[in-house]
Amino acid sequence: MCPSDYPHAVDNSPLPEPLPDPLKKPAGSADAKPYADPAMELRASDADRERVAEALREAYAEGRLTAEEHSERVDSVYAAKTMGELVPLTKDLPAHGEVHRPAPAAAPALRRQQAELPARQEDPRMIAVFGGTERKGRFRVGSLIKAIVVFGGVSIDLSEAVFDAPELVIDCRAVFGGVEIKVPPHVTLRGGGVNIFGGSEIKEQEGDGPSAPVVTVKTVCVFGGVSAERKKPGKLKDALRKHLE
């Protein structure tokens, strides 16, 4: 009988295991992050921060957090820039995953429409006589805004303004009236002036760097007042602080 007449032997021994990839961490590795998710690298929105702050308020009301822990975490919430920075703040609280779902984004068509809206041009003069006037939203500011108030009030919110010049001077004249100014956190705020039976409160701050816009508030108050300060992040934080007090 020829060797070819014998049936071929079948090798049933197990195949050798492939060598591990040195660049790939094991699933149960101690270095693996429990929430390594690309979504955690997304920038957090105001709505995301408010939702986490609300969860912290509920946890404090239920006795899960002390007053000191609650205060520290709330401060961290409003300082957070990404979703990943918000996650550790509630990881030991119920409904952790639900809290950190990013807020629904606007529809693409709506986002395009909002992005295409140009900043409006406004008159640099604001005059209120026995009445009031307000300016806020997305508008362009040059180097000067002149606010004149006589038995009235003027409100200027620069949080969404487009700065066309490195320095904006807000010249305020308040006679038996008031001017209120809000600035965004990234600008430098300075000011001062003359007060006769009146007062001004300019809460000075430094901007993000040498290229940050400078807002200088000049005041003349006669039985009137002018205030200028950084715009607060939202009403919820104030409510939380009042609740703690």
Side-chain angles (χ1 to χ4, degrees), residues 182-193:
K182 301 291 185 183
V183 302
H186 69 277
V187 307
T188 296
L189 176 62
R190 298 174 184 151

Side-chain angles (χ1 to χ4, degrees), residues 86-107:
L86 292 174
V87 167
L89 301 176
T90 59
K91 66 181 180 181
D92 54 352
L93 301 178
H96 170 68
E98 294 295 326
V99 171
H100 294 287
R101 288 185 178 178

Side-chain angles (χ1 to χ4, degrees), residues 140-161:
R140 308 188 76 88
V141 291
S143 58
L144 176 66
I145 292 178
K146 195 172 186 67
I148 300 174
V149 179
V150 181
F151 289 97
V154 166
S155 175
I156 304 173
D157 186 347
L158 299 172
S159 58
E160 298 180 43

Side-chain angles (χ1 to χ4, degrees), residues 43 81 184-190 205-214 230:
R43 301 285 291 192
K81 295 181 179 179
H186 69 277
V187 307
T188 296
L189 176 62
R190 298 174 184 151
Q205 68 178 39
E206 292 300 318
D208 291 344
S211 61
V214 177
R230 175 185 299 187

Side-chain angles (χ1 to χ4, degrees), residues 7-216:
H8 295 288
V10 179
D11 187 1
N12 293 323
S13 60
L15 295 175
E17 295 184 2
L19 294 175
D21 185 350
L23 300 180
K24 184 177 181 181
K25 293 182 180 179
S29 170
D31 295 335
K33 294 182 180 180
Y35 30 78
D37 186 341
M40 296 298 99
E41 299 179 5
L42 294 175
R43 301 285 291 192
S45 67
D46 288 341
D48 296 324
R49 283 184 281 268
E50 297 288 352
R51 188 167 57 255
V52 176
E54 175 66 18
L56 294 174
R57 186 190 68 79
E58 292 296 331
Y60 173 69
E62 294 170 359
R64 300 180 190 275
L65 297 175
T66 66
E68 183 178 356
E69 290 172 334
H70 178 261
S71 179
E72 291 177 354
R73 295 194 190 194
V74 168
D75 289 340
S76 298
V77 165
Y78 289 101
K81 295 181 179 179
T82 66
M83 295 297 296
E85 293 177 61
L86 292 174
V87 167
L89 301 176
T90 59
K91 66 181 180 181
D92 54 352
L93 301 178
H96 170 68
E98 294 295 326
V99 171
H100 294 287
R101 288 185 178 178
L110 179 58
R111 288 200 302 268
R112 287 196 300 269
Q113 180 182 3
Q114 291 174 340
E116 293 169 0
L117 289 176
R120 65 186 188 273
Q121 197 72 40
E122 295 281 5
D123 190 325
R125 296 171 302 173
M126 298 182 68
I127 301 174
V129 179
F130 289 97
T133 183
E134 179 183 44
R135 186 167 297 173
K136 63 181 180 178
R138 185 174 170 79
F139 64 95
R140 308 188 76 88
V141 291
S143 58
L144 176 66
I145 292 178
K146 195 172 186 67
I148 300 174
V149 179
V150 181
F151 289 97
V154 166
S155 175
I156 304 173
D157 186 347
L158 299 172
S159 58
E160 298 180 43
V162 177
F163 291 84
D164 290 333
E167 181 178 10
L168 167 64
V169 175
I170 303 179
D171 191 356
C172 303
R173 301 287 189 269
V175 180
F176 290 97
V179 180
E180 181 183 64
I181 301 167
K182 301 291 185 183
V183 302
H186 69 277
V187 307
T188 296
L189 176 62
R190 298 174 184 151
V194 179
N195 303 308
I196 303 173
F197 293 103
S200 61
E201 183 179 9
I202 314 299
K203 295 183 179 179
E204 298 188 347
Q205 68 178 39
E206 292 300 318
D208 291 344
S211 61
V214 177
V215 178
T216 302

